[in-house]
Amino acid sequence: MLEQLERLVQEAQEALQSANDDQALSEWRSSYLGRKGKATEAVKALGSLPREERPAYGRRVNEIKRTLEDAYEAKAEALKKQAQVQALVVDQVDVSLPGRPPRPGRLHPATRTLREIYDIFAEMGFQVYRSRDVETDDLNFTLLNMPPHHPARDMWDTFYTVTPGVILRTHTSPGQIRAMRQYYPEPIRVILPGMCYRYEQITARSEIMFNQVEGLAVGKDITMADLKGTIVDFARRIFGAGREVRFRASHFPFTEPSAEVDMDCILCDGAGCRVCKYTGWLEIMGCGMVHPVVLENGGYDPEQYSGFAFGMGPERIAMLKHGIEDIRYFWGNDLRFLEQFG
Ligand SMILES: [Zn+2]
């Protein structure tokens, strides 16, 4: 029996020598050390030996089993090292190759337009005032002179949260109330930029989320002439010095009087083209004198104070400036579009 053991250990060691990959090694392990492996069987055979042979056999068979287990571990380790060395050779880094230059990032076209707008208004003394995207129904509608059931609310359907009265803002105008309440009784010159949300069909002309920039000036003796001067100056700075601007009477619940602002079409210089629908004019923003109710809701006495407000869409301005035909490109994350704005 002992001779058989010696033969077994010799055979096993030779077989292990020639097991040179993971698969061969794992086959070796199961054929010698597995549940039905030869070494395991040899240990089990102890029980069937005559009593006097058991001590010597037992000692030797356990020694052998441990030897084979150690040999297996050593071989597994050696194979692993070998694979690592090989990987280093195969994946060697050729340091003489030219590097891959990291591609510089760039600003999103909407951000670029926003910053251009900030710069222009900063020179006119307006500071940026940011307020939250998630607003209360009160600030988004009611305090802006749109009580519940006001028909204008239909134009600005939005996304409602599960908390009653908490919504995603449909315009940056709630910031007007916040700014007035913060600065009262000081005069105010702020622009309110940020993302707005509306529940709308997504088309080439309308998105469910978009940036808006509003402006608000409040003080004593502010008149419609100040409003017109500010807007004409802005239009000429962003679209070019010779631009014509006209004001068309309109209606918004939060301003009185209200106007739409048109500029002569930058594509056809007012001659008429597809973009301006052959009118020669492009609508660029809405504006008006702050409604007395809104001034009051902000804490300013409309008998003593007056103000003007305006609002525009930076994406629409970018579309006009760069001839972008579809507003969906802005949030479509298509690099072919984004990379055009260096
Ligand atoms: Zn035109």
Side-chain angles (χ1 to χ4, degrees):
M1 281 309 279
L2 283 172
E3 274 168 42
Q4 266 179 35
L5 280 184
E6 298 313 319
R7 266 201 305 281
L8 172 64
V9 69
Q10 199 174 351
E11 176 202 312
Q13 277 168 337
E14 278 164 17
L16 186 59
Q17 289 263 308
S18 51
N20 281 324
D21 57 51
D22 285 347
Q23 200 195 336
L25 187 66
S26 113
E27 278 166 15
W28 181 90
R29 187 187 197 189
S30 68
S31 78
Y32 288 97
L33 296 170
R35 223 146 36 100
K36 295 248 161 78
K38 290 175 187 169
T40 316
E41 294 293 337
V43 175
K44 285 186 199 155
L46 182 69
S48 61
L49 288 181
R51 188 172 294 274
E52 63 276 15
E53 291 181 23
R54 286 187 194 174
Y57 181 88
R59 213 165 27 244
R60 185 61 186 142
V61 81
N62 278 322
E63 259 170 34
I64 286 173
K65 198 167 176 238
R66 218 168 10 230
T67 306
L68 294 182
E69 279 165 358
D70 290 349
Y72 167 81
E73 294 296 336
K75 182 76 181 194
E77 188 61 27
L79 281 182
K80 209 167 107 187
K81 281 228 169 79
Q82 198 183 330
Q84 282 171 347
V85 170
Q86 216 153 21
L88 281 180
V89 174
V90 172
D91 302 331
Q92 208 171 40
V93 177
D94 182 350
V95 293
S96 67
L97 283 174
R100 296 188 195 101
R103 295 205 296 176
R106 51 190 95 183
L107 291 175
H108 190 278
T111 307
R112 292 162 60 94
T113 309
L114 277 169
R115 291 192 179 182
E116 229 176 301
I117 296 170
Y118 300 165
D119 283 350
I120 293 169
F121 282 108
E123 285 176 11
M124 292 193 243
F126 285 77
Q127 49 181 306
V128 172
Y129 185 93
R130 290 185 180 281
S131 64
R132 56 189 71 177
D133 288 23
V134 180
E135 266 297 357
T136 62
D137 183 281
D138 264 0
L139 276 148
N140 194 78
F141 293 119
T142 310
L143 295 171
L144 293 166
N145 204 22
M146 281 182 281
H149 315 297
H150 192 287
R153 285 188 176 214
D154 291 347
M155 284 166 56
W156 286 293
D157 201 5
T158 185
F159 299 96
Y160 293 81
T161 67
V162 291
T163 311
V166 177
I167 61 173
L168 294 186
R169 64 179 177 188
T170 58
H171 44 189
T172 50
S173 317
Q176 294 190 19
I177 301 286
R178 291 184 180 278
M180 283 192 272
R181 289 181 174 181
Q182 181 176 336
Y183 291 124
Y184 176 81
E186 299 298 317
I188 299 176
R189 303 261 185 294
V190 290
I191 54 170
L192 313 139
M195 207 45 106
C196 303
Y197 309 84
R198 290 188 194 167
Y199 180 68
E200 276 202 60
Q201 185 109 30
I202 298 174
T203 68
R205 309 295 302 167
S206 62
E207 257 286 8
I208 56 168
M209 52 184 268
F210 52 89
N211 281 294
Q212 202 175 52
V213 176
E214 286 192 27
L216 173 71
V218 176
K220 290 182 174 165
D221 306 319
I222 289 183
T223 68
M224 190 101 185
D226 300 310
L227 166 64
K228 290 178 81 170
T230 305
I231 287 175
V232 171
D233 192 29
F234 167 76
R236 291 182 178 160
R237 289 203 204 191
I238 196 155
F239 288 109
R243 300 266 63 108
E244 294 289 331
V245 178
R246 74 175 183 187
F247 291 74
R248 211 158 22 86
S250 183
H251 173 77
F252 302 110
F254 30 80
T255 45
E256 181 60 35
S258 306
E260 302 276 4
V261 181
D262 296 339
M263 177 186 73
D264 58 330
C265 177
I266 52 173
L267 298 164
C268 62
D269 274 326
C273 69
R274 199 169 51 85
V275 174
C276 61
K277 300 196 184 90
Y278 304 98
T279 61
W281 294 95
L282 294 168
E283 190 183 309
I284 55 167
M285 68 173 93
C287 65
M289 300 304 290
V290 181
H291 196 286
V293 168
V294 176
L295 277 176
E296 221 166 68
N297 289 337
Y300 287 80
D301 176 1
E303 296 295 323
Q304 289 187 50
Y305 293 89
S306 56
F308 65 78
F310 53 86
M312 68 190 98
E315 282 92 18
R316 288 197 193 284
I317 289 176
M319 287 169 83
L320 289 175
K321 279 180 73 114
H322 302 292
I324 300 163
E325 290 190 337
D326 194 322
I327 198 168
R328 288 170 293 195
Y329 286 137
F330 282 93
W331 316 116
N333 276 341
D334 188 337
L335 285 179
R336 289 171 302 178
F337 169 73
L338 297 172
E339 282 178 342
Q340 292 175 44
F341 302 89

